[in-house]
Amino acid sequence: AVSLIHSVDRLNLLEAIQKEAARQGIVQDILLQVNIGHEDSKGGFWEDALLQLLPKMVDFPNVRVKGLMAIPPICENSAGNDKFFQKMYNLSVDISAKKYDNVSVDIMSMGMSDDYISAIRFGSTMIRVGTAIFGARNYTTSHQA
């Protein structure tokens, strides 16, 4: 069983999760991915699309939104993402105030090795610090059998 799906970034994925969760007779917890920097290279809902989706979560009885997830654009210094973290915090406050069915913002997943302190300052409850633990990785090498 999967306890939390971290990056639901589009409607057809949400629909597939609903279908499979219903088939299994479970309620699946998810995080909705927000493309907070409006980057074409990243998935996720833009804020307006997210706000249109949330009232419709009642139509997904086998899915429960537990929070939001975002990866802001790469910045030269950790403070460069403060404006994106602030936007995410503001979104979480607005969503919490509306009390949508099947929606809570108990989890805010944002912040990585280079900016996690700033992310926590803006309400992050979940961070990704792989580089800080494992060091920089080289993604350009090919793996051959």
Side-chain angles (χ1 to χ4, degrees):
V2 175
S3 62
L4 180 66
I5 299 174
H6 289 241
S7 55
V8 178
D9 63 350
R10 59 194 179 282
L11 183 58
N12 65 347
L13 179 56
L14 176 62
E15 292 167 342
I17 293 167
Q18 165 59 36
K19 183 177 178 181
E20 181 59 23
R23 188 185 72 74
Q24 292 185 29
I26 63 170
V27 176
Q28 179 61 59
D29 290 338
I30 67 166
L31 301 181
L32 291 173
Q33 183 174 341
V34 181
N35 187 336
I36 200 67
H38 299 173
E39 296 175 276
D40 291 335
S41 63
K42 290 183 182 166
F45 296 95
W46 287 20
E47 299 94 286
D48 56 342
L50 177 73
L51 294 174
Q52 290 175 19
L53 171 64
L54 292 173
K56 298 174 186 169
M57 286 307 300
V58 69
D59 298 331
F60 297 88
N62 294 86
V63 177
R64 182 173 41 226
V65 175
K66 295 296 288 180
L68 305 176
M69 177 269 204
I71 301 173
I74 295 172
C75 291
E76 291 183 22
N77 62 61
S78 61
N81 279 328
D82 285 2
K83 66 182 174 185
F84 299 110
F85 295 144
Q86 181 69 59
K87 284 172 70 173
M88 287 294 293
Y89 174 78
N90 293 346
L91 254 179
S92 74
V93 169
D94 291 347
I95 292 166
S96 294
K98 292 186 170 126
K99 301 191 184 311
Y100 297 114
D101 289 338
N102 294 350
V103 177
S104 68
V105 191
D106 299 332
I107 300 170
M108 287 288 288
S109 177
M110 56 185 191
M112 299 172 78
S113 294
D114 291 337
D115 59 8
Y116 72 92
I117 293 171
S118 185
I120 291 169
R121 194 171 56 244
F122 287 99
S124 182
T125 62
M126 183 179 289
I127 55 174
R128 294 169 300 281
V129 291
T131 299
I133 296 169
F134 301 109
R137 280 141 342 236
N138 181 353
Y139 295 105
T140 61
T141 60
S142 63
H143 298 278
Q144 297 183 12

